[in-house]
Amino acid sequence: KGKNMSDNVEKKMTKKNQSLEKGLAIMEYMSEYQEPIRLQDLAMGLEMSSSTVLRFLITLMESGYVEQDELSRYYLTYKICRISNSVSESNSLAGIAMGYMKKLSGICEESVSLAVEKNDKIVYIAVVHGPDKLMKTLQRIGNVAPMYCTAIGKLLLLNKSEEELQAYFDRNQFEAFTDHTMTTLKELKPVLEKAREEDMAFDNEECELGAKCVALPIRDYTGKTVAAMSITGTVFKLNEELILRIVPQFRYCVDEISRILGYVK
């Protein structure tokens, strides 16, 4: 009898999980449809019966997440935005990324940084320092750095159109920090094209002699690169062999953060 009861509970739980999955599928489909949708079209698109979809729609309407227009078409309300805003407020990007950053720093034994763009600069919002104390002078939370000569900055520059990129160069002055620093759009363009192709950017002693950096992008649900994560080390330690070894794990980390932010490949 006990076993039968356990089986029944398990079946009920399975049914509830399947129901939740269907309900979420309906909401996701409606959000992507981008206009009010008829019951028949929704059912056909989801390969569900109209009666099943209607049952979910009625529940969503009663909960305030769906409304019906004068043509009996269904659409999502802005109530879903309240959840989105709450998630954004409670789960900061730095908080989401920190666990992955610590893991990555432990694997490569180098400093790992997270930065975003603000006012034509990159701003470090999270840093996990590696054992090399020299690197602690390069990145601190709240510090700003140029976009044109940092690995993270190059990835964030890829968000800009040709016109926006030209405007960025027109309104800024570009200092050569080392002999490796590129200060013109002509020099930087092929580097940005390569970064776009490889989905990865580098700083090869462009900010600081003896320091090297590799960065990967973090994208949100719109597909935009909203931040980037970098690994920084000396040119001797962060060599090509180490980069090839750590990139798969590095990419896994940024892909997971992007997935949490709603990005779908």
Side-chain angles (χ1 to χ4, degrees):
K1 185 177 179 182
K3 185 177 184 303
N4 290 339
M5 185 179 293
S6 176
D7 289 343
N8 289 336
V9 170
E10 189 175 343
K11 286 177 182 177
K12 286 180 180 178
M13 288 301 292
T14 302
K15 188 179 290 185
K16 285 182 182 178
N17 290 339
Q18 289 174 346
S19 295
L20 177 60
E21 188 177 12
K22 288 179 181 177
L24 291 171
I26 288 170
M27 295 179 78
E28 288 178 1
Y29 191 92
M30 292 177 73
S31 70
E32 292 170 5
Y33 201 77
Q34 296 184 338
E35 62 181 47
I37 185 170
R38 297 186 311 157
L39 172 62
Q40 296 90 332
D41 293 333
L42 185 55
M44 186 180 300
L46 290 165
E47 297 182 351
M48 296 183 194
S49 68
S50 295
S51 58
T52 298
V53 174
L54 181 59
R55 188 169 69 250
F56 282 101
L57 287 173
I58 290 171
T59 301
L60 289 168
M61 288 174 69
E62 290 175 350
S63 302
Y65 289 101
V66 169
E67 285 291 339
Q68 195 174 20
D69 67 12
E70 66 279 0
L71 298 176
S72 297
R73 298 177 303 178
Y74 298 88
Y75 61 92
L76 291 172
T77 69
Y78 282 93
K79 187 175 180 181
I80 194 73
C81 296
R82 189 170 71 187
I83 297 176
S84 175
N85 289 336
S86 297
V87 170
S88 296
E89 290 168 6
S90 61
N91 297 326
S92 70
L93 177 56
I96 292 169
M98 184 52 68
Y100 294 99
M101 293 174 67
K102 288 179 179 177
K103 179 180 180 181
L104 197 58
S105 180
I107 291 170
C108 64
E109 297 185 331
E110 299 290 358
S111 296
V112 178
S113 304
L114 179 71
V116 297
E117 178 187 357
K118 190 171 184 181
N119 299 326
D120 285 349
K121 305 282 186 183
I122 66 165
V123 181
Y124 293 101
I125 60 173
V127 179
V128 175
H129 292 296
D132 192 340
K133 289 186 170 62
L134 172 66
M135 294 298 105
K136 290 189 178 183
T137 63
L138 300 178
Q139 296 116 344
R140 291 189 178 91
I141 296 172
N143 272 11
V144 297
M147 297 179 72
Y148 65 96
C149 58
T150 56
I152 287 177
K154 289 168 188 170
L155 290 176
L156 291 168
L157 282 174
L158 295 178
N159 284 327
K160 299 184 184 299
S161 65
E162 288 285 333
E163 294 77 13
E164 290 169 335
L165 192 60
Q166 184 62 60
Y168 162 77
F169 269 84
D170 290 342
R171 65 176 173 262
N172 288 286
Q173 292 183 331
F174 299 90
E175 180 182 351
F177 297 101
T178 74
D179 291 340
H180 303 280
T181 310
M182 291 170 283
T183 59
T184 67
L185 181 55
K186 184 178 180 181
E187 289 176 299
L188 197 60
K189 260 194 171 180
V191 174
L192 293 179
E193 287 170 10
K194 185 178 180 183
R196 192 186 299 279
E197 288 173 10
E198 297 181 346
D199 207 30
M200 176 167 55
F202 295 89
D203 162 10
N204 291 301
E205 299 186 88
E206 295 163 54
C207 285
E208 196 87 21
L209 284 175
K212 189 171 183 177
C213 189
V214 55
L216 294 178
I218 293 172
R219 297 180 171 91
D220 67 4
Y221 62 94
T222 67
K224 179 183 177 181
T225 298
V226 292
M229 188 183 294
S230 66
I231 298 173
T232 304
T234 65
V235 290
F236 306 105
K237 285 186 66 181
L238 196 58
N239 53 35
E240 188 174 347
E241 182 183 347
L242 178 60
I243 290 172
L244 286 173
R245 181 167 61 82
I246 63 176
V247 159
Q249 190 65 40
F250 189 7
R251 200 169 289 283
Y252 169 80
C253 289
V254 296
D255 284 350
E256 281 296 289
I257 297 167
S258 297
R259 181 186 62 78
I260 293 169
L261 295 179
Y263 177 64
V264 179
K265 285 187 176 181

